[in-house]
């Protein structure tokens, strides 16, 4: 829930980075995948790149969750590309709805 709220997302991500190893220590394969993909609420190529560079080694070291992690990063990048591609169209629609 905290990742889903813009006001708490960055704070939650900071905690997540610092505590990833303890979060995944006893997690089974399915929970490890869910844990690895928690930062999925971001919609930014830059944030996906940052998360990839900081978290990939931790995910690999955990020995599970890498597929979910990769899919999360792909989703973040796709979201950003779609947002960028449709930004002008959406802005025009909102302006005309006034």
């Amino acid at each position: 829930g905290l990742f889903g709220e813009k006001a708490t997302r960055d704070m939650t991500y900071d905690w997540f980075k610092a505590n990833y190893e303890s979060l995944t220590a006893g997690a089974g394969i399915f929970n490890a995948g869910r844990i690895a993909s928690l930062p999925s609420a971001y919609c930014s190529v830059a944030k996906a790149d940052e998360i990839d560079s900081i978290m990939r080694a931790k995910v690999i070291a955990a020995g599970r969750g890498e597929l979910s992690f990769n899919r999360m990063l792909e989703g973040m990048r796709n979201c950003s590309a779609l947002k960028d591609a449709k930004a002008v169209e959406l802005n025009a629609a909102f302006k005309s709805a006034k």
Side-chain angles (χ1 to χ4, degrees):
L2 294 174
F3 268 117
E5 297 296 326
K6 189 174 183 175
T8 56
R9 189 172 299 144
D10 290 335
M11 172 192 65
T12 305
Y13 176 59
D14 289 340
W15 184 90
F16 179 77
K17 290 184 294 190
N19 295 283
Y20 186 80
E21 291 85 355
S22 61
L23 282 171
T24 58
I29 190 166
F30 297 110
N31 284 332
R34 287 183 195 103
I35 292 167
S37 64
L38 282 173
S40 65
Y42 287 106
C43 182
S44 161
V45 171
K47 196 63 166 181
D49 292 344
E50 175 191 329
I51 291 170
D52 192 13
S53 69
I54 293 170
M55 298 300 299
R56 179 165 299 280
K58 294 179 181 193
V59 172
I60 291 171
R64 52 207 183 288
E66 191 172 1
L67 178 60
S68 296
F69 181 75
N70 289 336
R71 287 179 175 165
M72 174 205 55
L73 294 174
E74 180 181 11
M76 291 170 64
R77 290 179 175 117
N78 288 343
C79 176
S80 182
L82 180 61
K83 182 175 69 174
D84 292 346
K86 294 294 185 177
V88 172
E89 184 179 330
L90 283 172
N91 285 335
F94 282 124
K95 285 179 183 177
S96 68
K98 287 183 180 180

